[in-house]
Amino acid sequence: MSLLRLRAVLRGPGGLRGPGIPWRIFRSYSSASTKEKANRNGTCERTELLEVLKARAKQLQGSNVPEVTVNKVELTALDNDKYQEAVAPGPREKQPVPRAQGDGLAQSSTWAKKLQKEMYVEQLKMKQELPSAASQLALESQAKLEVSTETKAKPKAKSMKSPKIPEKKAAIAWNQSSGSPHTKPTVVGMKEAVELKRPQSMARDRNNQQVLQQTVQSNLECFVYLQQSEEAERYLLLCHSSPVRKKVIDVGAYNIVMRSWARKGCLNRIDRLFSILESYGLRPNLESFAVALECMGRNQSSPKAILRYLQQLNSNGFHVDELFQKCLFEEDGKEMVLWAIRTVQPNYRLPPPPSPEICKSSLLQDFYSRETMVSYPKLDFSTKELQERFQQQLEMELKTTITIESVEAAKPLTPQAVKARELLGTLRSQWHDAILQSLQNSKRSMARLKRMSKYSVLYPYLCLLPDEEYVDIMMQILNDLSPQGESLAVLARELGSKVYDRFIIQRKLHSGQLEKVQKVYENYIQLLAKDSQPKQYLPREYWDKMVAEAGFGPSLNLRNCSWPCAHLLRLGMHMLELLVKSVKVPRNILNRRLSSKPIPVLYHVYSFYSNWQVGLIKPHPIFSQLVSNAAEATLTFSSSAMPMLCPPVPWTSPSFGAFVLNNTKLMRFMDDTSYHQLLLEQCPLVNLHPVLDALNQLGNCAWKINQPVLDIIISIFNNKGDEKLDIPPPLSEAPKPPTAPGHSSTWSKSLKHELFLCKKKTAEMHSLRMDALYKLSIANYVRDKVFWFPHNMDFRGRTYPCPPYFNHLGNDVTRAILLFAEGRPLGPKGLDWLKIHLINLTGLKKKNALQERLEYANEIMEDILDSADHPLTGRKWWMNTDEPWQALACCMEIAKASRSPDPAAYISHFPVHQDGSCNGLQHYAALGRDLSGAASVNLVPSGLPQDVYSAVAQQVEEFRKKDAERGVKIAQVLQGFISRKVVKQTVMTVVYGVTRYGGRLQIEKRLKEIDEFPEEYLWEASHYLVKQVFNGIKEMFSATRDIQNWLTESAKLIAQSGRTVEWVTPLGLPIIQPYYRSRVTVLDCGMQRLSVKNSNNSQKPDTVKQKNAFPPNFIHSLDSTHMMLTALHCLRKGLTFVSVHDCYWTHALTVDVMNQVCRQQFVALHSEKILQDLSEFMLEKYCSSSGSSTEPIAHWQKRLMEQLSNVPRTGEFNLNQVMDSTYFFS
């Protein structure tokens, strides 16, 4: 795995953006001598320096633009000024003449003619010379994407500009295409080339229109934020001059501009825009009237003018009350609208807050019933303490980043380190000034331009924040850069995203949202504080109540203002260019014998990943050496990467919740994909209440650090680590590269391969080391604090903590250092549960009954106490377990409890886990009422836990014996080699859609681990075994395979009809599978071209992914539903509850109660007609009759109707048996 990929993994799931790995703390603490280290690293350093020098020469020569051909159809270059012809050649569409509307404000034909003339003159002025470069240059962002290409090497290439086409939505898989003279981009098919010759057909492409619309609105929002109302209006009117852009201008764009004029009280400009939008056939919406009334409230307009708008509002089918019920306001907009209305209706009263809607789900009728409502559990904090914690969290989020001490043991501060730190401090100060100067020069150049250029469109985006903030962002990227370099696309994306995140925070500050959040939160903590009265509300309900009582002020849900990915990339690329050009270091800074000529600190180089030529930004070895010598011991994180210091803001809608200021999505999805968010926003909010309440319940669990275990882990981490204990060693322990004599051209193939493996191993070790460093440093930072993990979910409904690095979903090390902040007495059975939990963590007694595990724990009590008392010097029993660090933490807890005067009264903060038994198969067996399958996965009561993996292995062994008797050679070879371990991974992943090909690879890997197995039979044996495993599962889980096949075939037919697979979970969460065919688009970003894979809902569905992913995704949506139901009902029982998917955690005292709730909710869930409901939903969605259906569509619909209607039959298993099954979750 490459370092780039590993670092991407370390950033966290779902596209969560983190600060990256701070490479300045990349150091080795080793007992090796300086000479040994020099010998070890000499070859690599010489090679790296040579690579940098070669790259610099290539960088200086690479000014030519590569030739672009489209399957031998050459496309001529387009001038930037000819945007109109590039987008939509051919006859121009006639501009609509402004005309009066019956209910509109433009009543006079004279006014219409005058308006038309003004617009014409305005457009002429703008085409000749715009007064401000900002609005003139912002237009080009809608048409500056290059032809979709694939990079193909060619020794000689002619220089030729690439044609420009409308922007396509950039979503995922940031690959890069080099802009060097040695590459020749080509488009994949002639069909696409033909389409490029007809841009008018592309204008009809929904994808382009979505991006164009997003671009227009984000540009307008920038102008409005910068209070450039004139520029915003000019830009809006100029968009109407393009047949392409005109089609994406909707009333929302007008509302943005009118909102700007409303803040200034310019009613005449709003009157004008109302007339223009009606003249183009658009219809004012509710927000349009809210903006107009806000303006009239601000300038205290006459009752006549106000009445005119109110009459038009009524004639358009709206009611005044809807202004306050459905519109979003900023600052004092709501008060201004009310003032305007009361000018003509003095007795008007605000509509009362709507009565809270109650979720109607049959699974939660008791939960939401007011008769059974109980008081929300209190935290062990006073109101004042929670207010102080909120202020600490707010301060951290306002700073956007936080710098903490690293846990890595610092070297003794040598004179060399002191000198390096002073030198680095001086250089950073110089670099800061140089970057600031370059940024300001760049902005001045953009502002002076009268003609569009590729970066001029970025000017408004470079004015949104103070210049110092842009410089801070660039300096942070420089400080965090790896010595091995980083993908240019990743850096560009990170830079653009950091600017966007800070802009969103600034918008919240400017809109007055922060003040209102502070006021509401102060009241909200009355629900949680121990010194306040008990309240029978859920967090979501109480927050909504406090918002309603707050009355006036801004809305807490901001209007959507997302930037297109192309903008983020271009902005990031521009900032990278400034960084590369500005940051220099004297060549002789480490060696005074050299000249003092300044050299660049950063270089743009190229590498290959698979068939892609990838651009990297690499630091000069001098800079890397200087950072290493300085041995700085701090880490900088984004504030959103840290645990919260106060209870999270409750989720109340798909766009509000979690952090105080940091922008967080309710549902994780790939960047720039909007269909999940749209689906959530279109869903009635009451249907999302169960999901929101479950996320709030998980996020409200308070945590603290297990300090003794953390200290032991840190001591081993700083003492060369221990791979057996999952503590990564430092790079001083990396394998030594072989001595490489002479020039690289003389190296043998085997030597090069060995050097490559050493380099790969070193990179992997470093990534693992950095991952551990992140987690341990964050844990050490919060060691004396109580903290919280806000949660969100993926598109299937599976929940995840928002902070990406340190959370309870982490590995054994991370889980071992986490404790519940709330303590509870063990009670009469708590100590027994701790002992059983310990034995579960060892993995030693999986097949034994719970009582036998408890007896075994009592037998080895001496080892348990020795482990707790002398973890590193005693018998070290805990080290030989499956989860050693959690086992050690549990040993310590058992020791404390057993030595206390009254173990039942001992206050324990320790989480006890209960795991599902092959949870995916449990859901399948319950869906199909599969009797034999249910018994295999512990849905049926049994004295001993049933092991499905051993059962399948036994079934496969029986098949093998029969074949061996018939003389099948491979069956005879396999005698004695079929075990639980060989088949376990394949059985586990069958439920999640593994294919026979994937299963064969899994089994082959297991067989390779058996030294005695003959290597020549690996392929044949794995091929034979995967077939028998599938047969065994089919025989044991007949209903399971039927359901899986039904789901797969249904998804296949849906995808073939051109639709994506959608469904709704039993809790009401709408789900859509995000698998579409990708299309490559190339962005010309100056330093190099970026190849971006587009995969969004305007493309055709990926049939293979849609069908293969549906069964596992559907099962995941069910296990998340079961977990949420358990979380909500545990709340009603007063339990502390968190989960790691199908592993549920609670206090030792409440394990029995949680087990009962878990089983009740599983039975309740599967008592619903899940498959029947799914069938009915899909029949309604995909097979509803359409009068315009052609014969082929009717044929597809008929096949699909037959498939969906043929719901698999169920077996005879009685679900209620789950209630008595001890090992269902254990």
Side-chain angles (χ1 to χ4, degrees):
M1 180 183 259
S2 73
L3 183 61
L4 278 177
R5 295 294 172 185
L6 280 169
R7 185 174 178 197
V9 169
L10 290 180
R11 282 204 175 92
L16 279 177
R17 289 187 296 273
I21 295 179
W23 294 90
R24 61 186 180 284
I25 47 76
F26 168 29
R27 303 185 302 283
S28 306
Y29 300 109
S30 169
S31 57
S33 69
T34 306
K35 185 175 180 181
E36 286 174 333
K37 291 181 182 178
N39 292 335
R40 182 186 309 156
N41 298 324
T43 302
C44 293
E45 288 177 358
R46 288 196 300 273
T47 306
E48 184 179 60
L49 181 57
L50 182 62
E51 181 187 8
V52 168
L53 295 175
K54 287 180 179 178
R56 178 59 178 160
K58 184 177 180 182
Q59 184 174 351
L60 294 173
Q61 295 168 358
S63 57
N64 294 328
V65 181
E67 177 187 16
V68 175
T69 61
V70 185
N71 283 9
K72 301 184 180 180
V73 179
E74 296 202 355
L75 303 173
T76 57
L78 297 172
D79 188 75
N80 285 332
D81 286 338
K82 296 186 179 180
Y83 166 74
Q84 188 67 46
E85 289 76 9
V87 175
R92 290 178 180 267
E93 295 185 21
K94 292 183 179 179
Q95 297 298 314
V97 178
R99 51 191 170 80
Q101 299 286 321
D103 296 320
L105 297 174
Q107 302 291 343
S108 165
S109 60
T110 306
W111 163 248
K113 291 177 182 177
K114 182 180 178 183
L115 177 62
Q116 184 183 5
K117 183 177 179 181
E118 281 182 15
M119 289 172 59
Y120 179 73
V121 172
E122 191 74 26
Q123 290 169 5
L124 283 179
K125 284 182 182 177
M126 294 183 74
K127 287 179 182 177
Q128 291 167 5
E129 178 179 342
L130 287 179
S132 164
S135 60
Q136 175 190 22
L137 301 170
L139 288 165
E140 194 202 340
S141 64
Q142 293 141 230
K144 292 287 293 176
L145 281 181
E146 296 206 12
V147 183
S148 299
T149 62
E150 288 184 356
T151 304
K152 187 176 181 180
K154 187 174 182 178
K156 295 181 181 179
K158 299 176 183 178
S159 178
M160 177 177 168
K161 289 185 178 180
S162 300
K164 308 293 188 288
I165 60 177
E167 287 188 352
K168 297 182 180 180
K169 199 167 195 176
I172 58 174
W174 297 100
N175 296 311
Q176 301 160 54
S177 169
S178 162
S180 75
H182 306 291
T183 58
K184 176 181 176 182
T186 58
V187 173
V188 180
M190 177 63 79
K191 180 179 178 181
E192 190 166 347
V194 173
E195 288 179 355
L196 291 174
K197 300 294 279 185
R198 298 188 206 139
Q200 64 271 23
S201 65
M202 297 193 69
R204 292 192 296 267
D205 185 3
R206 274 192 307 145
N207 180 31
N208 296 327
Q209 290 189 359
Q210 287 173 2
V211 175
L212 282 174
Q213 187 174 60
Q214 191 181 24
T215 301
V216 169
Q217 295 199 1
S218 63
N219 288 339
L220 288 172
E221 288 283 4
C222 284
F223 290 131
V224 170
Y225 178 80
L226 295 169
Q227 299 181 13
Q228 297 178 358
S229 307
E230 291 282 1
E231 301 300 322
E233 185 170 333
R234 286 195 188 98
Y235 174 70
L236 176 65
L237 295 179
L238 189 55
C239 285
H240 275 297
S241 67
S242 163
V244 177
R245 296 194 301 273
K246 180 179 64 180
K247 291 181 179 178
V248 302
I249 299 295
D250 62 2
V251 69
Y254 280 89
N255 289 341
I256 294 171
V257 180
M258 289 194 290
R259 194 165 71 243
S260 179
W261 287 122
R263 289 174 188 165
K264 299 180 179 181
C266 297
L267 183 60
N268 61 326
R269 306 304 290 263
I270 290 180
D271 285 343
R272 183 167 179 263
L273 287 169
F274 255 80
S275 300
I276 294 173
L277 75 87
E278 290 179 335
S279 73
Y280 280 109
L282 298 173
R283 194 175 167 85
N285 62 12
L286 197 61
E287 187 182 354
S288 309
F289 292 106
V291 169
L293 289 166
E294 178 189 339
C295 178
M296 289 185 281
R298 241 175 249 293
N299 69 7
Q300 299 188 358
S301 297
S302 66
K304 183 179 178 181
I306 296 171
L307 190 59
R308 183 159 50 99
Y309 271 96
L310 288 176
Q311 288 171 347
Q312 188 178 352
L313 179 144
N314 289 326
S315 64
N316 280 22
F318 300 118
H319 192 275
V320 174
D321 286 353
E322 292 180 277
L323 294 168
F324 303 100
Q325 293 168 338
K326 298 180 180 178
C327 291
L328 300 177
F329 297 98
E330 295 182 12
E331 300 178 54
D332 59 349
K334 189 174 184 179
E335 292 93 316
M336 293 298 101
V337 172
L338 182 61
W339 187 95
I341 293 171
R342 284 181 174 169
T343 300
V344 295
Q345 299 179 25
N347 297 324
Y348 177 78
R349 290 188 177 184
L350 286 173
S355 300
E357 294 185 87
I358 304 298
C359 177
K360 298 295 193 295
S361 170
S362 59
L363 292 167
L364 291 166
Q365 283 182 350
D366 291 341
F367 178 80
Y368 285 111
S369 170
R370 286 293 162 188
E371 289 74 22
T372 60
M373 190 74 69
V374 296
S375 298
Y376 194 77
K378 299 288 186 179
L379 297 172
D380 191 25
F381 297 102
S382 66
T383 302
K384 184 180 178 182
E385 288 172 326
L386 288 176
Q387 287 173 346
E388 290 172 353
R389 290 170 181 275
F390 174 78
Q391 289 302 321
Q392 293 171 11
Q393 177 66 27
L394 179 58
E395 288 172 14
M396 183 171 70
E397 292 190 39
L398 283 171
K399 291 177 183 176
T400 69
T401 60
I402 181 170
T403 300
I404 66 176
E405 291 292 322
S406 164
V407 297
E408 202 165 19
K411 292 178 181 178
L413 202 57
T414 62
Q416 182 191 29
V418 173
K419 184 179 178 181
R421 289 185 185 183
E422 290 175 355
L423 194 54
L424 203 53
T426 303
L427 286 172
R428 282 175 178 156
S429 177
Q430 294 171 2
W431 293 338
H432 178 280
D433 295 342
I435 297 169
L436 180 61
Q437 187 65 45
S438 294
L439 175 65
Q440 292 171 344
N441 292 341
S442 170
K443 288 170 66 174
R444 278 194 291 269
S445 300
M446 290 179 181
R448 286 197 299 265
L449 284 171
K450 306 298 181 186
R451 184 173 177 273
M452 294 181 187
S453 66
K454 59 190 170 187
Y455 278 136
S456 303
V457 296
L458 300 175
Y459 180 69
Y461 295 86
L462 290 170
C463 299
L464 297 172
L465 306 174
D467 289 347
E468 285 285 345
E469 290 209 35
Y470 291 97
V471 177
D472 288 345
I473 291 170
M474 288 186 266
M475 287 295 295
Q476 186 183 340
I477 291 293
L478 175 64
N479 291 335
D480 292 347
L481 191 60
S482 151
Q484 284 83 10
E486 177 61 287
S487 157
L488 185 138
V490 169
L491 290 176
R493 178 71 186 189
E494 192 170 341
L495 281 164
S497 298
K498 284 179 181 293
V499 173
Y500 174 76
D501 289 342
R502 294 198 185 194
F503 166 64
I504 291 298
I505 290 177
Q506 290 302 314
R507 274 188 78 208
K508 291 180 179 180
L509 297 178
H510 286 193
S511 70
Q513 189 197 64
L514 176 58
E515 289 81 358
K516 186 165 182 178
V517 168
Q518 283 181 290
K519 180 181 176 182
V520 173
Y521 196 92
E522 284 180 7
N523 294 323
Y524 166 71
I525 56 180
Q526 298 296 319
L527 178 72
L528 308 173
K530 64 182 179 182
D531 57 352
S532 60
Q533 292 297 316
K535 294 175 176 60
Q536 294 184 343
Y537 289 94
L538 294 168
R540 171 188 52 80
E541 295 171 339
Y542 198 68
W543 182 275
D544 283 342
K545 182 176 184 289
M546 294 300 100
V547 171
E549 290 178 1
F552 294 109
S555 305
L556 295 185
N557 289 331
L558 281 182
R559 295 175 182 87
N560 182 41
C561 180
S562 57
W563 294 353
C565 281
H567 273 26
L568 291 173
L569 277 174
R570 286 204 177 93
L571 178 60
M573 285 289 284
H574 182 65
M575 293 170 73
L576 266 182
E577 285 188 21
L578 294 178
L579 202 56
V580 170
K581 291 176 183 175
S582 308
V583 180
K584 298 182 185 294
V585 65
R587 189 182 174 206
N588 66 345
I589 198 163
L590 296 179
N591 186 350
R592 293 300 174 185
R593 291 176 295 177
L594 302 174
S595 68
S596 61
K597 179 182 177 181
I599 58 173
V601 170
L602 302 176
Y603 290 88
H604 178 207
V605 302
Y606 295 98
S607 183
F608 280 92
Y609 181 80
S610 186
N611 293 327
W612 288 94
Q613 188 172 0
V614 178
L616 302 176
I617 295 294
K618 290 193 74 171
H620 196 285
I622 288 176
F623 173 68
S624 300
Q625 185 62 49
L626 188 61
V627 171
S628 177
N629 292 346
E632 294 173 309
T634 57
L635 299 168
T636 300
F637 294 98
S638 165
S639 58
S640 61
M642 301 293 288
M644 288 188 70
L645 304 178
C646 67
V649 175
W651 285 105
T652 58
S653 74
S655 55
F656 185 81
F659 292 99
V660 179
L661 283 175
N662 289 319
N663 202 30
T664 311
K665 296 183 177 78
L666 173 66
M667 187 173 279
R668 301 169 176 222
F669 42 80
M670 295 297 185
D671 291 321
D672 230 35
T673 54
S674 58
Y675 35 88
H676 293 299
Q677 191 68 22
L678 289 173
L679 202 62
L680 291 173
E681 289 172 358
Q682 292 166 4
C683 178
L685 189 56
V686 67
N687 291 358
L688 296 178
H689 284 174
V691 171
L692 300 178
D693 292 335
L695 289 171
N696 293 335
Q697 170 64 1
L698 297 172
N700 273 351
C701 177
W703 299 87
K704 70 174 187 176
I705 294 297
N706 190 334
Q707 295 185 17
V709 176
L710 175 63
D711 290 336
I712 294 170
I713 293 171
I714 291 175
S715 68
I716 294 177
F717 180 83
N718 286 325
N719 188 26
K720 299 187 180 181
D722 188 326
E723 288 189 276
K724 181 187 173 186
L725 295 176
D726 205 18
I727 308 292
L731 287 196
S732 59
E733 306 303 307
K736 299 177 182 179
T739 305
H743 191 265
S744 59
S745 59
T746 64
W747 296 350
S748 66
K749 192 173 181 179
S750 60
L751 178 61
K752 289 180 180 178
H753 183 65
E754 194 171 348
L755 283 170
F756 167 76
L757 291 179
C758 280
K759 189 175 181 181
K760 181 182 177 184
K761 177 65 176 176
T762 301
E764 289 175 354
M765 286 178 64
H766 190 272
S767 290
L768 293 171
R769 179 79 174 176
M770 292 302 101
D771 179 42
L773 180 66
Y774 267 44
K775 292 172 178 175
L776 295 177
S777 297
I778 294 174
N780 196 51
Y781 173 73
V782 295
R783 65 182 297 137
D784 297 314
K785 299 177 173 68
V786 173
F787 51 91
W788 288 260
F789 297 127
H791 279 61
N792 62 1
M793 59 187 173
D794 65 15
F795 74 92
R796 303 163 301 186
R798 281 198 145 192
T799 59
Y800 300 86
C802 296
Y805 304 115
F806 175 66
N807 58 61
H808 61 286
L809 263 68
N811 59 5
D812 175 46
V813 172
T814 313
R815 296 184 189 189
I817 54 183
L818 281 169
L819 296 171
F820 292 136
E822 179 190 7
R824 297 203 177 187
L826 285 178
K829 296 176 65 177
L831 183 56
D832 289 347
W833 273 117
L834 283 175
K835 293 175 181 178
I836 292 169
H837 176 57
L838 172 62
I839 303 307
N840 289 346
L841 291 169
T842 66
L844 297 174
K845 300 288 180 180
K846 291 180 180 179
K847 298 180 182 180
N848 295 75
L850 291 183
Q851 185 60 35
E852 291 173 352
R853 299 179 204 181
L854 178 59
E855 290 169 1
Y856 177 70
N858 290 326
E859 289 172 11
I860 61 167
M861 199 65 186
E862 191 176 333
D863 287 331
I864 293 172
L865 296 176
D866 177 75
S867 295
D869 297 336
H870 311 288
L872 300 181
T873 57
R875 285 172 282 193
K876 304 177 186 177
W877 169 85
W878 63 276
M879 290 187 181
N880 300 311
T881 60
D882 285 358
E883 308 283 354
W885 289 109
Q886 291 177 81
L888 175 61
C890 197
C891 287
M892 291 180 170
E893 188 73 1
I894 291 170
K896 291 176 187 174
S898 60
R899 289 167 177 167
S900 66
D902 180 7
Y906 172 76
I907 302 299
S908 173
H909 298 259
F910 199 85
V912 175
H913 310 171
Q914 295 286 279
D915 276 308
S917 175
C918 201
N919 192 237
L921 280 173
Q922 287 181 325
H923 282 285
Y924 267 125
L927 280 173
R929 304 294 194 272
D930 188 338
L931 195 55
S932 62
S936 300
V937 290
N938 293 300
L939 297 189
V940 177
S942 174
L944 292 173
Q946 300 301 302
D947 183 17
V948 65
Y949 311 116
S950 297
V952 172
Q954 186 178 347
Q955 187 83 19
V956 170
E957 174 62 15
E958 290 177 9
F959 293 153
R960 186 205 65 78
K961 284 180 179 177
K962 292 177 183 177
D963 289 340
E965 290 170 2
R966 290 200 296 266
V968 177
K969 176 67 176 174
I970 193 62
Q972 296 169 347
V973 171
L974 278 165
Q975 183 175 356
F977 291 110
I978 296 175
S979 65
R980 179 184 188 272
K981 185 177 180 181
V982 168
V983 304
K984 178 180 177 180
Q985 188 180 10
T986 306
V987 175
M988 187 186 301
T989 52
V990 158
V991 67
Y992 298 124
V994 74
T995 61
R996 294 204 176 197
Y997 173 78
R1000 190 198 70 75
L1001 294 177
Q1002 293 169 345
I1003 290 173
E1004 182 181 58
K1005 188 175 181 180
R1006 298 285 83 81
L1007 291 175
K1008 279 182 180 177
E1009 294 169 357
I1010 303 174
D1011 295 335
E1012 298 80 13
F1013 190 80
E1015 192 173 341
E1016 64 272 18
Y1017 288 105
L1018 275 175
W1019 190 93
E1020 191 179 356
S1022 59
H1023 188 272
Y1024 172 83
L1025 282 180
V1026 75
K1027 180 181 176 183
Q1028 302 305 336
V1029 168
F1030 273 64
N1031 288 339
I1033 292 174
K1034 188 173 182 180
E1035 192 166 306
M1036 291 175 60
F1037 295 88
S1038 55
T1040 294
R1041 296 302 295 180
D1042 290 343
I1043 294 170
Q1044 198 169 26
N1045 292 337
W1046 180 73
L1047 294 172
T1048 302
E1049 187 62 24
S1050 299
K1052 176 184 173 183
L1053 292 175
I1054 290 168
Q1056 285 177 345
S1057 69
R1059 309 281 295 277
T1060 50
V1061 178
E1062 296 182 38
W1063 69 98
V1064 177
T1065 70
L1067 277 187
L1069 178 68
I1071 294 177
I1072 180 171
Q1073 292 198 141
Y1075 310 121
Y1076 300 91
R1077 295 181 190 175
S1078 60
R1079 185 186 296 173
V1080 175
T1081 302
V1082 178
L1083 295 176
D1084 185 1
C1085 293
M1087 193 183 295
Q1088 75 167 57
R1089 295 177 181 180
L1090 298 180
S1091 248
V1092 181
K1093 282 186 179 179
N1094 306 312
S1095 179
N1096 52 63
N1097 60 340
S1098 62
Q1099 311 284 4
K1100 290 183 178 180
D1102 186 319
T1103 303
V1104 174
K1105 286 185 178 178
Q1106 288 283 342
K1107 78 177 182 66
N1108 288 342
F1110 183 37
N1113 285 340
F1114 182 71
I1115 295 300
H1116 278 313
S1117 74
L1118 289 182
D1119 72 43
S1120 75
T1121 300
H1122 177 223
M1123 185 279 295
M1124 289 181 180
L1125 286 169
T1126 304
L1128 293 174
H1129 285 87
C1130 281
L1131 168 62
R1132 280 287 174 262
K1133 300 276 188 180
L1135 273 65
T1136 299
F1137 174 90
V1138 292
S1139 80
V1140 181
H1141 304 316
D1142 62 346
C1143 177
Y1144 298 170
W1145 298 14
T1146 191
H1147 288 94
L1149 172 70
T1150 54
V1151 172
D1152 290 314
V1153 181
M1154 184 186 74
N1155 276 334
Q1156 182 186 23
V1157 172
C1158 166
R1159 286 155 177 77
Q1160 287 172 345
Q1161 297 314 308
F1162 185 86
V1163 171
L1165 171 62
H1166 284 283
S1167 296
E1168 299 285 301
K1169 300 180 297 180
I1170 294 176
L1171 293 180
Q1172 191 63 42
D1173 290 344
L1174 177 66
S1175 170
E1176 291 172 5
F1177 172 83
M1178 289 185 161
L1179 284 168
E1180 174 66 26
K1181 182 165 189 66
Y1182 301 109
C1183 302
S1184 55
S1185 58
S1186 174
S1188 60
S1189 297
T1190 59
E1191 188 60 33
I1193 295 176
H1195 175 66
W1196 282 112
Q1197 283 185 338
K1198 184 177 179 182
R1199 284 186 60 192
L1200 187 54
M1201 285 178 70
E1202 291 174 356
Q1203 171 64 24
L1204 293 175
S1205 301
N1206 188 24
V1207 180
R1209 294 181 179 179
T1210 57
E1212 301 299 323
F1213 171 61
N1214 181 3
L1215 263 180
N1216 290 319
Q1217 292 186 68
V1218 173
M1219 294 300 302
D1220 300 318
S1221 175
T1222 303
Y1223 302 102
F1224 166 63
F1225 266 62
S1226 65

